[in-house]
Amino acid sequence: MFGERKKGFSRSTITTAHTAGSLMFEHTKRGGLLESDPTAEAIIPRERQPARKPGEKRHVLPKFLEKDELKAFLQLCRFVLTTNRWALFVVLAYTGLRISEAAGLQWEDIDMKKRTIDVNKQLYGLSKNYTFIPPKNEQSERVVSFGDTVAKALELLKECQQDERLSAKLFNPNDNFVFWCPTLPDYPIAITGVGARN
């Protein structure tokens, strides 16, 4: 399973499968059904980058956007993406939240009057098979302030979600997520799919 990169599985998909398998086998070991974890010796292959041609320079992406670049990026997002995805990028850009922290946000974590976000968890898993886990470390548990740009994006997102919830045949009854999966209303956005165009 873990050596199947050539079939098209990304390294992150293989890593996720390996982690899930390890947890399952570890639980089975604790229950006395297995003596050892068959995934313990698995080696996850590294993705190989093609060699550069002679004279070809390495393309390095900038680690941040300048103010005017960020503005242009968010304007483009507003034009080509859904309100849900655009609002996610606005929140990520102006608050510094990790994608997993933003994906785990519930409306109860946001105080629109005080304009604060209570970062107290992050999302783990996909679509309907998700769980909440603690933030990366103690310092990651924090309250983040936001300004007008984020407030307007969140207000617009909430309005859109109210309309979607009324027309949806199925939605998540348990958790009141801020950012939804495009195909499953009120279920969390998939962290691995944030770069997708929807």
Side-chain angles (χ1 to χ4, degrees):
M1 167 74 190
F2 302 118
E4 297 191 9
R5 175 68 188 102
K6 54 187 160 190
K7 288 190 179 178
F9 295 110
S10 70
R11 190 167 196 273
S12 63
T13 300
I14 295 169
T15 303
T16 301
H18 178 259
T19 302
S22 295
L23 291 170
M24 179 183 68
F25 286 121
E26 190 58 40
H27 180 72
T28 309
K29 267 175 59 183
R30 281 197 304 269
L33 298 172
L34 276 180
E35 289 183 16
S36 64
D37 175 1
T39 65
E41 302 298 320
I43 298 171
I44 299 170
R46 291 198 173 276
E47 291 186 359
R48 292 183 183 159
Q49 298 295 330
R52 279 184 277 151
K53 296 173 186 163
E56 183 182 6
K57 298 207 175 187
R58 185 171 170 234
H59 183 68
V60 180
L61 292 172
K63 294 189 178 180
F64 60 89
L65 297 176
E66 298 293 343
K67 193 173 180 180
D68 57 330
E69 292 172 325
L70 177 61
K71 186 177 178 183
F73 170 72
L74 292 175
Q75 284 175 342
L76 179 65
C77 288
R78 185 70 188 105
F79 181 69
V80 299
L81 300 178
T82 62
T83 302
N84 182 67
R85 190 60 55 92
W86 162 74
L88 172 65
F89 284 132
V90 170
V91 168
L92 290 173
Y94 284 91
T95 64
L97 266 66
R98 296 178 179 91
I99 292 173
S100 57
E101 292 170 341
L105 281 180
Q106 297 166 281
W107 284 108
E108 295 79 20
D109 299 322
I110 297 176
D111 189 325
M112 294 299 285
K113 288 184 181 175
K114 292 181 181 177
R115 292 194 174 184
T116 58
I117 298 173
D118 181 7
V119 183
N120 53 58
K121 61 189 170 304
Q122 56 182 336
L123 189 79
Y124 181 80
L126 299 169
S127 304
K128 293 184 179 180
N129 301 316
Y130 66 87
T131 186
F132 296 113
I133 59 174
K136 191 173 180 179
N137 51 49
E138 282 184 32
Q139 294 76 28
S140 297
E141 196 163 329
R142 63 207 186 276
V143 174
V144 178
S145 300
F146 60 84
D148 291 344
T149 304
V150 172
K152 286 173 186 173
L154 290 172
E155 285 165 4
L156 186 59
L157 177 61
K158 199 160 198 177
E159 286 174 24
C160 291
Q161 287 180 347
Q162 286 169 349
D163 293 338
E164 284 184 52
R165 194 177 272 115
L166 288 172
S167 61
K169 293 178 183 176
L170 174 71
F171 65 89
N172 185 358
N174 301 315
D175 299 304
N176 194 14
F177 284 102
V178 175
F179 301 109
W180 292 359
C181 171
T183 55
L184 294 166
D186 225 351
Y187 281 92
I189 194 166
I191 298 166
T192 53
V194 166
R197 257 191 83 182
N198 51 28

